[in-house]
Amino acid sequence: MATFSTTSKTVRFGVMAAVTAVALTVGGSASGGARLATSERLAPAAGACDRNLGTAARTPAAPGVCRAAGTPELIWQGHIHLGDEPGIYGDALYSGLSTEIPITLERTSTSGPERTTLVLETEDVQTFEGYPGHQVTVYLHVPDPDQPFHSDQVVLTRTRLTSADNNRKEIRVNLAGRQSPYHVSVQIRQDTEVPAGALDDFQVTRLSNVATDFGYIASYGFTPPPVN
């Protein structure tokens, strides 16, 4: 049996005990209430958007799913540290000079533009005049027509991440003439024109997909290729 105290209340609970109500003290005032049913806890608030869409675009009029053009679909979020000073971000994965995030894009409609926009969000990017900035490359991984069970990496687009982007880079990806599902990777590479020891240390924190009417949806990682 464990015991802890908050201000004037002592709550005792056992490992197997069912807790039915919890009072929390925030800024000197207590707040609490009855537990919500599972359906109530999971239901989105009015006007809220489900940012983990998955296959939501295939389900018409799903409650809580934003369908307006320009709504971001979250693919991945976390903390990846790029730079040359390991450990300055205690909660981040240190990846050194580069990192590459694999994703799968799927087209949900035969109409609409054959492109989507990937939104890369960062923290603490600070580049300087006279240097090109951090390189961001979007690759498409396609079967090698000359070697069975081999793959080719094709550059879809390449851009630079600088201070002027204010830690948010929108990357337009043209998928015309390509076949869904699209196995895509987003590589972020440190600007190594900066002398060693003076590299910009920053974090990659989020990758999202924005497609008109969710004409393209995304998932983190590579899904298996279709069997012919």
Side-chain angles (χ1 to χ4, degrees), residues 58-81:
R58 302 172 187 166
T59 307
V65 175
C66 298
R67 299 211 170 266
T71 301
E73 174 196 1
L74 177 63
I75 303 172
W76 169 90
Q77 66 179 358
H79 295 274
I80 301 176
H81 170 199

Side-chain angles (χ1 to χ4, degrees), residues 21-163:
V22 178
L24 300 177
T25 302
V26 181
S29 62
S31 62
R35 295 181 65 183
L36 295 175
T38 301
S39 59
E40 293 177 292
R41 292 201 306 271
L42 298 180
C49 299
D50 180 359
R51 299 185 66 183
N52 267 324
L53 296 178
T55 56
R58 302 172 187 166
T59 307
V65 175
C66 298
R67 299 211 170 266
T71 301
E73 174 196 1
L74 177 63
I75 303 172
W76 169 90
Q77 66 179 358
H79 295 274
I80 301 176
H81 170 199
L82 274 71
D84 59 1
E85 293 186 60
I88 64 170
Y89 298 109
D91 61 344
L93 170 67
Y94 178 65
S95 68
L97 300 183
S98 68
T99 190
E100 191 163 352
I101 301 172
I103 65 174
T104 301
L105 295 167
E106 293 186 67
R107 190 163 192 192
T108 62
S109 172
T110 55
S111 61
E114 293 185 87
R115 61 181 180 272
T116 190
T117 301
L118 298 176
V119 181
L120 179 69
E121 295 179 63
T122 58
E123 290 181 5
D124 299 335
V125 168
Q126 186 175 15
T127 57
F128 297 97
E129 187 176 349
Y131 296 96
H134 309 298
Q135 184 172 270
V136 181
T137 307
V138 179
Y139 294 102
L140 179 68
H141 299 254
V142 296
D144 186 334
D146 299 322
Q147 297 187 79
F149 305 107
H150 286 72
S151 181
D152 289 333
Q153 197 176 46
V154 178
V155 175
L156 287 176
T157 187
R158 182 169 280 152
T159 186
R160 292 282 179 170
L161 173 67
T162 69
S163 296

